[in-house]
Amino acid sequence: MKAFFKNKFVFIIYIILFSFIAILLISPLKSGASTRIDNGIFSDYVLVNDGNTFEESFISNIDNLNTVGLLLPTKKFGSYNGEIEVELLVDNVFIQKANYQLNGMKDNIFTFMNFDGVRNSKGKNCSIRITFNLLENETFPIYYSKANSKSHIMINGSAMNGTIGLHLFGNNNDYFYAWYPCLAISVLFTINSLFIKKENNNV
Amino acid sequence: MFRLLESSWKKILIILSITLILTGLIEMFCFNFKLIQLDDSQKGIKNIELSEVTVNNFEFRENKLISKNKKQNILFDFDGKYVNKLCVNYISDNEFNTNFDIEEKNVYDKYTTVKSESNHSFKTNTFVHNIGNNAKTLEMKTNATNLTITSIHIDNRIQPNFYRICFLFMFIFTSFCLFSFRKTIFKKEHNAFLLISLISGFMIILFVSNTTFYSYDDETHFKNAYTLLDFGNTSWSDTAKQMTIAMPFSFDSVNSKEDIKNLNNYLNANHRNIVSTSSEGRFIKYTKFAYLPSAICLKLGKLVNLPFSVLFKFGKLGNLLFYSFMMFFSIKTITKGKTFLAFLALIPTNIWLASNYSLDPIIFSSIALGISMFIHELTNKSKILSEKHMILFIVAMIFGILPKAIYAPLILLPVLLPHEKFINKKHEKKFKIGIVMIFIVLMSSFVLPAILSPSQAGDVRVQATSQIGQIKNILSYPIGYINVFLNNAGLQFFSKLFAPETISNFGYLGTTNNLTYYLSFIILIILSVIEFGKKKININCKLRSFFVIICFVIIGLIWTALYLDYTAVGSLEMQGVQGRYFIPLLILLPFIFNITNHINDVPDDVHNINFSLIFIFIGFIILNISIYGNILNVLCL
C-alpha cells in the first residue's frame, strides 16, 4: 500500500477526477431521473363513502417502482376525510401496502405514496390496488376544479364524482456507483498525506 | 476514575443511603400528603354505580353504559370529596376524544372549573384521568361512535409512583455526587457532562411512552433503525409495524402511569408473532450509517428476547450512549470552551433528541468531535499536525455529514490550519487538497442526486412537492428565488439560531418553560464571553472570516435543501426548516465572536473548578425542570 501511495500524488488526483467523470457519465444513463409511467386510469369513477376498491395492472418499464401519485378531484369546499390504502402486487404476489391520510385535505391533490421500492420490477406484471376509505357522509356541497373534472358538479350526500388520475414513479438506480470509491480514495489520500509527513519527519 | 471510585466507596454508600431516605420522605410526605390526610372512608378504591350517574346519550343496559349517539356526556357529583384518579373501563371500536370540566377547589378554598382534554385508543380498554384535588362535579363529554363503559371507579389509594421515585432518586443522587466529588472526578468538565447526560437521558427514555410522535419523525427513524437489524430480510411484528407510522396511538392517549402499563401490555402482546418481512439491500446506504447505534442496541435487545416495551427503549439507549460518549471525548479534547461545549451538549433539545429515535444527536456529536479535534490542533500551534487527531477529525466529520450533506463545508476547517503545523509546503498542499477532495465528494452526495436524478415527488408529508419541479422553478426565476430566500432565511436568521425551539425543545411535548430557555441562553452568552476571551489562544481574523463563510454556506444549504424537498413548488414560504438543524453551528459561534477581554485574565487555579461545575450543574437543573414539567408531570403521574 505504502509503495502504491508514495509519490503517487498526481496519479491519485487523476483517479479521483476519473471517478467523478464516471459519476457524471454513468448516473444519467443509469437513472433516467425518476421515470414516470402515466396510466391516467380511474376516470369517471364514483367514490362512495366506504371501501371502494380499484385495481389496475401494467407492465413496468422501470427497475425500481417506488412512488404512486394519485390525482384526486380538487374540492372547492370541504375536505376529504378518511384514508387511501394502496397495495402493490408484482406477478400477483402482494409486495407492500401504504396508507395515506386524507383528513383535512382540501385543494390540490397530487398525493404521493412512497413504497420502500420494488427492485427489479422491470418487465414484470404489476398491479396497483387502491381502496378509498372515506370516513363519513359529506354534508356540504362539493365542487371540483375545472382541470380535473368533466364538469362543475355539486353533490349533497355521500357520493362524489370526478376524474382520478394515477401516476407511477420510480427510478432505475439507487446508488451513484462511483461515489463510494471516490470517498474511499479521497479519505485514503488525505490520511496517507499525514503518514508521509511522519516518514519525512523521522528521516 | 474507577480507582477513585474504589477508594470512595464509603462516600458513595453514604450518598446512596441519604438519597434513598430523602427520596422516600419526599415521595411519601410531599406527593402523597393529601392522600395520607384523608379519612378512611375516602381512602382506597371507590366504585361508582353507573346506574346512579347522570348521563346524556348513554343507555344503561346490563350494568353498562352504551353510547347512543355521537356525542355523549356523564355528570359526576363528588360533593367536594377528594378525587385522586378517575379510572374508566371501556370498549370502543374507534379512537375517541374526552373533554373534562371539573369543578375543583382552588387555593382560596373556592371552586373553579378546570377544563382538560384527552384522547383514548380503541386498542386499550382503560383510561385514567389524574385529578388530585377536591372536586364538586365532573362532566365528561365524549364523541365516540360506539362506546361501552363497563365500569368507573375513583382510585384514592396511597401508592408510591415508580417514575417519580426514579426521578427524585436520580436527581438527588446526581446532585450529591457532583458536590461530593467536585474536587476529584467532576473537576473535569467531561466527567460531569457524562454523568448528567446519561442520567438525564435515561430518565427521558424511561418516562416517555413507548409510542411514536413524541420526537420529530421518530416513526421514520425507528423504521430505518429496525430495518437494519437483519441486513436484508427484517421480520416485523404487529407492534413493530405499528411503530412505523406516526401516532399509532392518538397523541393525548397516554396520560398516567396506568395508561403506560396498559399501553405496554398491548405492545408486548402483539409483538409475539411475525406479520410481515421487508427486504432491503445487503449494503447499508450511506445515509443510514447513523442508525447503527440504535440498530445495534435493538439487535442486542432482540437477541435476548426483550419484550417490545423494553426493546423500544433499548433502541433509544443506543442513541444516548453514542451521543454521550462522543460528546465526552469532544469536551475532553477541545482546548478552548470546554464548559461552553459541555453546557451546549446539555441543552434540553440535545438531550431530548439523544434520548429518542433521531439522527440529529448522531450528527451533532460527530461534528462536535471533529471540531474539537480541529480546535485542539489549531490551538497547539507549536506542534506538528497530529495524525491521530486528523484521522479522527476526518472519520467523525464524514460520519456526521453522511446523513445530512448540508454540513459538508465543515470538513473544510483544516484548510486554514497555519503553515507551522506542516513540515513543508508539499505536505501542506497534499493534505489540504485531500480535504477539499473529501468535501467535493461529500457535497456530491447532496448536489448530484438533485441535479442528475431529481425526485419527481419531494417529501411525501407535504403536498405538491417535487424536487425536479422546484429546480425548474428556481432556474426559471433566479431573482425571484433570491427574494424568497432572503425573506425566509434572512428574516428568520436569529430566531432559528437562538429561539426556544432550538435551545429548549422537547419535540411534540413542546418547548420547556421560559425560565429554562432564558437561563440557557444567558449562560451560553456568558460562557462564550468569559471562556473565549483569553489572549493567549486568540483566533485570527482570517480564520474567523472563514468560519463565518462556512456558517453562511451551511445556513444557505439548509434552507435550499428544504425548499427543494419539503416545500410545495413555487411557494413563497420555505417550509420545514427547524431550529435543531442549526445547533452544530452554535459550536463555532463563540470562535467567530471571540472578543478578547480581561474578565478571564486571572490564574486558572483561582476559579477552575467552581466556575465550570456550577454552570454544568445549572445545566443539570434546567434539564430536570424540563423533564419534570414536560414529561413526568404530563405522562407518568
Side-chain angles (χ1 to χ4, degrees):
Chain A
M1 271 310 252
K2 271 184 187 173
F4 175 76
F5 281 119
K6 208 172 180 181
N7 298 323
K8 299 288 179 191
F9 174 61
V10 179
F11 178 67
I12 289 165
I13 297 291
Y14 274 127
I15 289 177
I16 294 166
L17 284 175
F18 278 125
S19 305
F20 264 95
I21 292 165
I23 292 176
L24 294 167
L25 287 175
I26 294 167
S27 297
L29 293 176
K30 280 276 182 185
S31 74
S34 290
T35 312
R36 170 172 159 168
I37 309 169
D38 196 342
N39 282 39
I41 55 166
F42 300 159
S43 55
D44 301 332
Y45 278 95
V46 174
L47 294 182
V48 293
N49 62 339
D50 194 26
N52 260 22
T53 304
F54 308 104
E55 191 167 330
E56 175 73 9
S57 299
F58 56 92
I59 303 292
S60 171
N61 64 359
I62 45 181
D63 277 342
N64 303 313
L65 187 66
N66 56 28
T67 305
V68 173
L70 200 63
L71 189 67
L72 291 178
T74 303
K75 283 189 172 183
K76 200 168 178 182
F77 300 107
S79 59
Y80 289 100
N81 286 298
E83 66 171 16
I84 301 174
E85 187 178 281
V86 181
E87 290 167 276
L88 182 64
L89 297 92
V90 175
D91 290 337
N92 287 325
V93 178
F94 170 74
I95 301 293
Q96 230 178 331
K97 192 164 79 173
N99 292 61
Y100 196 88
Q101 296 292 327
L102 293 178
N103 297 347
M105 283 173 121
K106 287 183 176 183
D107 46 4
N108 185 3
I109 285 169
F110 213 50
T111 303
F112 288 102
M113 276 145 287
N114 263 15
F115 293 104
D116 292 341
V118 182
R119 290 173 204 284
N120 306 319
S121 58
K122 193 169 191 173
K124 289 186 179 167
N125 184 19
C126 303
S127 301
I128 294 282
R129 188 188 294 151
I130 302 179
T131 308
F132 290 87
N133 292 306
L134 300 179
L135 272 189
E136 56 187 295
N137 291 353
E138 306 286 350
T139 54
F140 31 71
I142 304 162
Y143 294 88
Y144 300 108
S145 73
K146 286 174 191 168
N148 300 327
S149 67
K150 291 186 297 180
S151 60
H152 197 77
I153 307 163
M154 186 186 83
I155 302 165
N156 276 311
S158 62
M160 57 185 186
N161 203 340
T163 307
I164 304 162
L166 180 74
H167 309 277
L168 302 161
F169 301 98
N171 54 37
N172 287 331
N173 78 331
D174 282 339
Y175 305 103
F176 295 97
Y177 297 109
W179 188 86
Y180 288 96
C182 268
L183 181 66
I185 290 166
S186 307
V187 171
L188 280 175
F189 172 75
T190 315
I191 291 174
N192 185 61
S193 77
L194 291 162
F195 285 101
I196 288 170
K197 174 213 85 176
K198 197 179 175 185
E199 282 165 17
N200 293 346
N201 204 18
N202 290 342
V203 171
Chain B
M1 191 202 279
F2 291 108
R3 206 177 299 160
L4 224 136
L5 282 171
E6 211 174 296
S7 63
S8 313
W9 65 271
K10 277 184 188 171
K11 220 176 192 179
I12 293 170
L13 269 181
I14 294 168
I15 292 173
L16 268 175
S17 314
I18 296 172
T19 307
L20 278 172
I21 294 165
L22 273 176
T23 304
L25 289 174
I26 295 171
E27 172 63 23
M28 212 58 200
F29 295 107
C30 289
F31 291 106
N32 284 299
F33 187 66
K34 281 186 175 174
L35 283 169
I36 292 170
Q37 277 188 320
L38 289 181
D39 55 63
D40 288 346
S41 63
Q42 285 193 58
K43 279 182 189 167
I45 292 176
K46 305 286 161 199
N47 274 320
I48 294 173
E49 286 300 322
L50 296 181
S51 56
E52 289 172 11
V53 290
T54 313
V55 295
N56 187 19
N57 280 333
F58 270 112
E59 187 187 341
F60 181 72
R61 203 190 320 151
E62 293 167 2
N63 224 13
K64 292 171 190 164
L65 288 176
I66 297 159
S67 65
K68 284 198 290 193
N69 284 326
K70 216 184 149 192
K71 288 181 179 172
Q72 312 86 27
N73 61 344
I74 307 175
L75 186 71
F76 302 91
D77 189 356
F78 296 126
D79 197 24
K81 286 180 182 165
Y82 187 82
V83 182
N84 189 34
K85 287 167 181 279
L86 181 78
C87 312
V88 179
N89 293 314
Y90 66 90
I91 300 163
S92 173
D93 53 10
N94 267 308
E95 285 179 352
F96 63 98
N97 171 275
T98 310
N99 286 290
F100 297 93
D101 290 354
I102 311 169
E103 270 190 284
E104 279 184 35
K105 196 187 260 186
N106 64 20
V107 287
Y108 299 114
D109 276 348
K110 287 179 181 166
Y111 285 92
T112 44
T113 304
V114 176
K115 290 179 184 288
S116 57
E117 190 183 348
S118 58
N119 292 307
H120 312 290
S121 174
F122 61 91
K123 296 170 186 172
T124 52
N125 292 316
T126 306
F127 72 80
V128 174
H129 189 73
N130 288 307
I131 299 170
N133 204 346
N134 290 71
K136 200 185 258 180
T137 58
L138 184 151
E139 190 178 6
M140 191 175 100
K141 299 171 200 164
T142 60
N143 67 345
T145 46
N146 193 3
L147 173 69
T148 304
I149 293 177
T150 53
S151 68
I152 301 175
H153 64 264
I154 294 167
D155 189 346
N156 275 353
R157 287 177 295 171
I158 301 170
Q159 281 179 311
N161 184 313
F162 165 75
Y163 297 99
R164 199 163 47 209
I165 289 174
C166 279
F167 174 80
L168 289 170
F169 179 84
M170 288 180 189
F171 175 72
I172 298 168
F173 180 75
T174 312
S175 306
F176 273 131
C177 280
L178 289 171
F179 180 76
S180 305
F181 298 103
R182 67 190 182 282
K183 288 179 183 169
T184 50
I185 306 173
F186 301 120
K187 190 179 172 183
K188 311 260 185 190
E189 294 87 345
H190 49 268
N191 290 335
F193 162 80
L194 188 65
L195 179 75
I196 293 172
S197 170
L198 288 175
I199 293 279
S200 307
F202 183 73
M203 281 198 272
I204 294 174
I205 292 174
L206 190 67
F207 300 158
V208 173
S209 324
N210 294 314
T211 177
T212 54
F213 211 71
Y214 281 116
S215 181
Y216 301 112
D217 302 325
D218 46 4
E219 79 285 349
T220 310
H221 296 309
F222 169 75
K223 182 183 173 184
N224 288 338
Y226 205 84
T227 311
L228 293 182
L229 288 194
D230 297 320
F231 290 106
N233 294 312
T234 305
S235 310
W236 296 81
S237 68
D238 180 30
T239 304
K241 201 80 189 162
Q242 284 192 51
M243 290 301 143
T244 62
I245 58 164
M247 282 198 282
F249 291 81
S250 49
F251 186 64
D252 271 339
S253 61
V254 183
N255 303 301
S256 65
K257 61 187 172 75
E258 290 82 2
D259 289 345
I260 294 177
K261 197 179 166 188
N262 290 333
L263 171 75
N264 288 345
N265 288 341
Y266 171 85
L267 297 177
N268 295 337
N270 289 288
H271 188 55
R272 289 174 195 135
N273 299 321
I274 304 300
V275 293
S276 70
T277 53
S278 64
S279 58
E280 285 281 318
R282 287 194 170 275
F283 299 103
I284 305 175
K285 211 177 168 186
Y286 57 84
T287 48
K288 292 193 173 174
F289 279 122
Y291 292 111
L292 282 174
S294 287
I296 290 167
C297 277
L298 281 170
K299 183 74 187 172
L300 288 173
K302 234 183 158 186
L303 283 176
V304 292
N305 220 5
L306 287 176
F308 190 84
S309 56
V310 184
L311 182 74
F312 194 69
K313 291 188 187 303
F314 229 60
K316 295 178 180 179
L317 194 65
N319 254 8
L320 177 68
L321 290 174
F322 184 89
Y323 174 79
S324 300
F325 282 99
M326 288 290 272
M327 288 312 301
F328 170 81
F329 288 115
S330 308
I331 298 162
K332 195 176 175 186
T333 312
I334 204 162
T335 46
K336 193 177 186 185
K338 276 181 190 287
T339 316
F340 177 85
L341 188 57
F343 191 84
L344 183 65
L346 286 176
I347 58 172
T349 308
N350 277 337
I351 296 294
W352 166 259
L353 291 170
S355 314
N356 275 289
Y357 288 100
S358 175
L359 281 181
D360 295 289
I362 308 294
I363 294 169
F364 175 73
S365 57
S366 304
I367 287 174
L369 185 64
I371 292 176
S372 301
M373 296 294 163
F374 166 71
I375 297 293
H376 189 277
E377 284 303 305
L378 186 73
T379 49
N380 281 322
K381 283 179 185 167
S382 54
K383 285 185 183 169
I384 295 291
L385 203 63
S386 149
E387 301 90 359
K388 191 182 94 180
H389 285 150
M390 277 301 109
I391 290 172
L392 274 171
F393 169 85
I394 292 166
V395 173
M397 279 294 188
I398 289 176
F399 194 76
I401 290 165
L402 281 179
K404 287 185 183 170
I406 45 174
Y407 298 112
L410 285 170
I411 207 159
L412 288 174
L413 286 174
V415 168
L416 278 207
L417 278 172
H419 308 301
E420 306 90 71
K421 296 293 295 180
F422 301 91
I423 285 177
N424 52 37
K425 274 197 170 179
K426 190 183 169 192
H427 171 223
E428 185 184 348
K429 213 160 109 186
K430 274 187 176 181
F431 175 74
K432 288 181 178 176
I433 285 176
I435 289 291
V436 174
M437 282 297 168
I438 296 174
F439 164 72
I440 293 169
V441 176
L442 287 173
M443 272 305 286
S444 70
S445 72
F446 166 59
V447 176
L448 286 183
I451 295 172
L452 300 175
S453 180
S455 165
Q456 191 75 36
D459 198 299
V460 287
R461 291 164 295 180
V462 186
Q463 293 172 30
T465 57
S466 165
Q467 282 186 6
I468 196 164
Q470 201 71 285
I471 289 171
K472 277 181 190 167
N473 181 51
I474 293 171
L475 294 176
S476 310
Y477 302 97
I479 306 292
Y481 171 68
I482 291 169
N483 255 320
V484 172
F485 182 83
L486 291 177
N487 283 339
N488 285 272
L491 295 178
Q492 293 180 48
F493 179 75
F494 285 103
S495 65
K496 290 291 176 194
L497 268 181
F498 307 114
E501 65 154 315
T502 311
I503 289 170
S504 49
N505 191 345
F506 268 13
Y508 295 115
L509 291 176
T511 50
T512 62
N513 70 38
N514 284 345
L515 172 76
T516 57
Y517 162 66
Y518 287 118
L519 203 55
S520 305
F521 186 54
I522 289 165
I523 290 176
L524 282 174
I525 291 173
I526 292 172
L527 285 172
S528 60
V529 172
I530 61 176
E531 266 209 308
F532 290 81
K534 284 189 175 182
K535 280 179 190 170
K536 60 181 178 184
I537 40 176
N538 207 357
I539 290 170
N540 65 36
C541 198
K542 191 177 160 192
L543 205 61
R544 277 195 237 172
S545 313
F546 189 60
F547 288 173
V548 172
I549 293 167
I550 283 181
C551 287
F552 273 106
V553 170
I554 291 172
I555 289 168
L557 286 173
I558 290 171
W559 285 93
T560 307
L562 284 153
Y563 193 60
L564 289 184
D565 201 47
Y566 203 82
T567 307
V569 175
S571 172
L572 298 178
E573 197 181 325
M574 292 176 155
Q575 288 171 345
V577 179
Q578 294 180 29
R580 62 195 161 103
Y581 303 144
F582 300 92
I583 295 177
L585 302 182
L586 293 181
I587 308 174
L588 285 181
L589 283 190
F591 292 96
I592 295 170
F593 301 105
N594 175 15
I595 305 154
T596 308
N597 59 61
H598 299 285
I599 297 170
N600 225 24
D601 287 353
V602 283
D604 283 346
D605 55 350
V606 171
H607 56 59
N608 58 354
I609 171 171
N610 294 332
F611 159 76
S612 300
L613 198 58
I614 286 170
F615 282 117
I616 292 173
F617 185 70
I618 294 172
F620 176 61
I621 300 284
I622 288 170
L623 266 174
N624 277 269
I625 293 172
S626 311
I627 291 170
Y628 188 86
N630 284 51
I631 305 174
L632 186 70
N633 208 23
V634 176
L635 303 177
C636 310
L637 293 185

